[in-house]
Amino acid sequence: MKLLFIIFLMNLLHQYAGKYLRRDGSSLKSFEDIKNEIAGYTNITKAIIDLAVHGKAQNRSYDRLAVFADTIGPRLSGSKNLEAAIKYMFSALQKDGLENVHLEPVKVPHWERGEEFAVMLEPRNHSIAILGLGNSIATPPEGITAEVIVVASFDELHKRAQEAKGKIVVYNEPFISYGETVHYRLQGAVEAAKVGAVASLIRSIASFSIHSPHTGGQSYQPDVPQIPTACITVEDAEMMSRMSHRGTKIVVHLRMGAKTYPDSLSFNTVAEIVGSKYPEQVVLVSGHLDSWDVGQGAMDDGGGAFISWEALSLIKDLGLRPKRTLRLVLWTGEEQGGVGAKQYYQLHKENISNFDIVMESDEGTFKPSGLGFSGTAEARDIVKEIMTLLQPINATDVYDTADGTDIAYWMRDGVPGASLYNDINKYFWFHHSQGDTMTVQDPNQMNLCAAVWTVVSYVIADMEDMLPR
């Protein structure tokens, strides 16, 4: 009997080799069937690319973003500018003729940097460009004047802990990668406070600099004293490091007027194209509407937000209606750790089985080469096949893992995720700095990004079966 069962099982496995089970278990479909289904979208892909790159929608996402960024400016969590941005987008999405345009309320942090000033007093008088880090406390009204200790790493700081007491710690950490080096921005104040420092100044997390400080988030710890913290330019950090290595005494005066207020009411902004066959199932495309309070927030993340809007516009303009609902979400409070997205997840996670894929563009809209993807091997094979449709614009690659603060909650729970993969060689030149303006954006590259985002989201939303998970 046991032998008969083994023979039966082997025959069954052979019969269904290379086939995927539908989510509801109703039938089996071979990968060859799926490839043929995807190939059927060749003409629609061509129409999307033609409209976005060459047709009447050419440069539309760039032009829309330029008006928005020039009109509203930077959009810090809790600020009047962010409130104005949300109202602007709510009206714009309605005028665009999208469906179910609405706002979903969330609470977001409200921090303001206030007046900031730093100057080197010894060995010479030199104005130091600074940007306070999010959630930093203020200095006393008269400021802080103290000697500087320069370190290149947390290890060096703790080895020289006795020297750091009562001083301002300047971190001159080398830029390795954003993911690795950003820990100095996130934890620099805490580690400096542990050894008795009175403030911390952190070399900006940037791969290139023209004397421009870069801001960003940082976190205090409940059991560690809070000290003021700011980023300084790469140039000033390196200069103080050279001075320190020569044995020169450095004295800095620092004044920061930061304030933290109670959490403010804000909104995630939502619009849809409702699905024709499975309206309860959702393909989510997104970017975040908030930014830091410097520059215009055009790159981080105006570009990602506006190509996500453009995806729905292009589909609407072509008279297409996918089987599943295509949902645009413009997140709020991303820069403070994805607080808007977390609250959205808590509100909608009971319907998690209906989320087909979550997509976020938040690493620039430069020349695209493909997608970052997180999901099962079976789902990855399908996405790779979809990306072959984008051969006309040479954006066919699929890279390991999707990145996106706002979609991380869904991916953690097994929902497939995708992020736009583009040329980010210059991204950290401008990231979180006064340089993040429309000048960084290129209309032709945004057209290509919009085409990629639209093709991927539409095809996944219109295929008969959801992605395997």
Side-chain angles (χ1 to χ4, degrees):
M1 189 69 180
K2 189 174 181 180
L3 180 61
L4 289 174
F5 175 76
I6 292 172
I7 293 171
F8 170 77
L9 183 61
M10 290 177 66
N11 286 333
L12 192 67
L13 290 172
H14 178 75
Q15 181 182 352
Y16 292 139
K19 296 188 177 183
Y20 299 135
L21 187 66
R22 284 184 176 174
R23 188 74 55 79
D24 62 5
S26 61
S27 65
L28 290 163
K29 180 180 283 190
S30 73
F31 187 63
E32 195 62 34
D33 292 335
I34 294 171
K35 287 176 66 175
N36 290 334
E37 182 183 9
I38 292 169
Y41 291 99
T42 300
N43 289 337
I44 288 176
T45 296
K46 184 180 184 302
I48 290 170
I49 292 172
D50 286 346
L51 180 59
V53 179
H54 311 295
K56 68 176 184 178
Q58 183 185 41
N59 300 346
R60 183 170 61 187
S61 59
Y62 175 90
D63 291 339
R64 284 172 167 175
L65 177 59
V67 173
F68 173 80
D70 293 343
T71 302
I72 305 294
R75 308 166 298 279
L76 184 63
S77 172
S79 69
K80 293 293 184 183
N81 275 23
L82 179 58
E83 185 178 326
I86 292 168
K87 289 179 180 177
Y88 180 102
M89 289 307 304
F90 178 75
S91 175
L93 295 172
Q94 287 184 316
K95 289 178 181 176
D96 195 32
L98 300 179
E99 299 165 330
N100 296 337
V101 178
H102 65 280
L103 304 177
E104 299 189 8
V106 297
K107 287 286 191 176
V108 297
H110 184 187
W111 172 88
E112 293 178 358
R113 71 176 60 256
E115 181 188 8
E116 297 178 331
F117 175 79
V119 61
M120 179 190 292
L121 303 176
E122 297 183 37
R124 64 179 175 91
N125 191 280
H126 169 67
S127 179
I128 299 173
I130 66 168
L131 280 176
L133 293 177
N135 200 39
S136 175
I137 64 166
T139 63
E142 69 276 12
I144 293 171
T145 301
E147 188 176 345
V148 161
I149 177 174
V150 183
V151 297
S153 67
F154 290 140
D155 286 343
E156 182 183 355
L157 173 66
H158 292 294
K159 287 176 183 176
R160 300 174 62 190
Q162 294 302 314
E163 299 177 56
K165 189 173 183 180
K167 294 181 180 177
I168 296 173
V169 172
V170 169
Y171 293 95
N172 183 39
E173 77 288 347
F175 183 88
I176 299 170
S177 68
Y178 182 77
E180 184 168 347
T181 312
V182 75
H183 293 292
Y184 286 89
R185 191 191 77 203
L186 296 171
Q187 303 166 17
V190 167
E191 296 305 315
K194 286 178 180 178
V195 295
V198 294
S200 64
L201 298 175
I202 297 143
R203 169 176 163 159
S204 289
I205 314 303
S207 55
F208 177 77
S209 177
I210 305 179
H211 202 255
S212 177
H214 297 236
T215 189
Q218 64 88 32
S219 299
Y220 292 123
Q221 289 182 7
D223 55 343
V224 178
Q226 296 183 3
I227 61 174
T229 182
C231 269
I232 60 176
T233 68
V234 172
E235 292 87 343
D236 281 342
E238 291 187 340
M239 179 182 69
M240 285 189 274
S241 179
R242 292 192 301 272
M243 289 176 171
S244 178
H245 281 127
R246 291 193 291 263
T248 302
K249 180 181 178 181
I250 306 168
V251 176
V252 165
H253 175 73
L254 174 67
R255 190 165 68 243
M256 295 171 61
K259 294 181 180 179
T260 299
Y261 299 94
D263 287 355
S264 295
L265 177 65
S266 189
F267 300 90
N268 292 317
T269 308
V270 183
E272 294 180 338
I273 294 176
V274 177
S276 61
K277 187 174 181 180
Y278 309 113
E280 75 285 356
Q281 297 174 6
V282 174
V283 167
L284 187 151
V285 293
S286 67
H288 66 86
L289 205 58
D290 67 297
S291 72
W292 284 103
D293 55 338
V294 289
Q296 293 181 300
M299 182 190 74
D300 184 19
D301 180 37
F306 275 64
I307 67 161
S308 295
W309 173 16
E310 185 69 8
L312 272 67
S313 288
L314 291 167
I315 290 167
K316 176 183 64 67
D317 289 350
L318 289 167
L320 300 171
R321 185 173 292 276
K323 295 182 180 72
R324 283 171 204 84
T325 294
L326 190 59
R327 180 178 297 167
L328 166 68
V329 182
L330 303 177
W331 310 106
T332 192
E334 188 276 345
E335 298 293 3
Q336 284 63 42
V339 294
K342 182 177 181 180
Q343 291 171 71
Y344 180 90
Y345 166 78
Q346 293 294 341
L347 184 64
H348 295 279
K349 65 179 181 180
E350 65 181 3
N351 296 316
I352 195 168
S353 63
N354 281 330
F355 280 76
D356 194 352
I357 188 170
V358 288
M359 301 169 58
E360 180 175 17
S361 173
D362 186 21
E363 289 189 330
T365 46
F366 301 102
K367 184 178 180 181
S369 57
L371 284 186
F373 179 78
S374 293
T376 65
E378 294 84 358
R380 179 177 296 275
D381 287 343
I382 294 169
V383 170
K384 283 182 176 179
E385 197 64 29
I386 292 170
M387 296 306 289
T388 64
L389 295 169
L390 289 158
Q391 286 177 348
I393 58 172
N394 196 28
T396 60
D397 292 335
V398 178
Y399 300 87
D400 289 341
T401 71
D403 290 316
T405 298
D406 297 308
I407 60 174
Y409 307 99
W410 302 93
M411 294 191 295
R412 180 196 63 195
D413 285 352
V415 178
S419 56
L420 182 70
Y421 204 95
N422 67 120
D423 181 3
I424 62 169
N425 283 329
K426 295 182 180 179
Y427 183 79
F428 294 108
W429 294 16
F430 310 105
H431 180 252
H432 292 184
S433 79
Q434 293 286 9
D436 183 357
T437 68
M438 281 305 299
T439 301
V440 177
Q441 298 297 116
D442 181 285
N444 296 318
Q445 292 176 353
M446 284 191 71
N447 294 337
L448 294 171
C449 291
V452 171
W453 218 225
T454 307
V455 168
V456 172
S457 60
Y458 176 79
V459 173
I460 293 175
D462 195 60
M463 291 179 67
E464 184 60 34
D465 296 322
M466 293 175 71
L467 293 173
R469 67 173 79 167

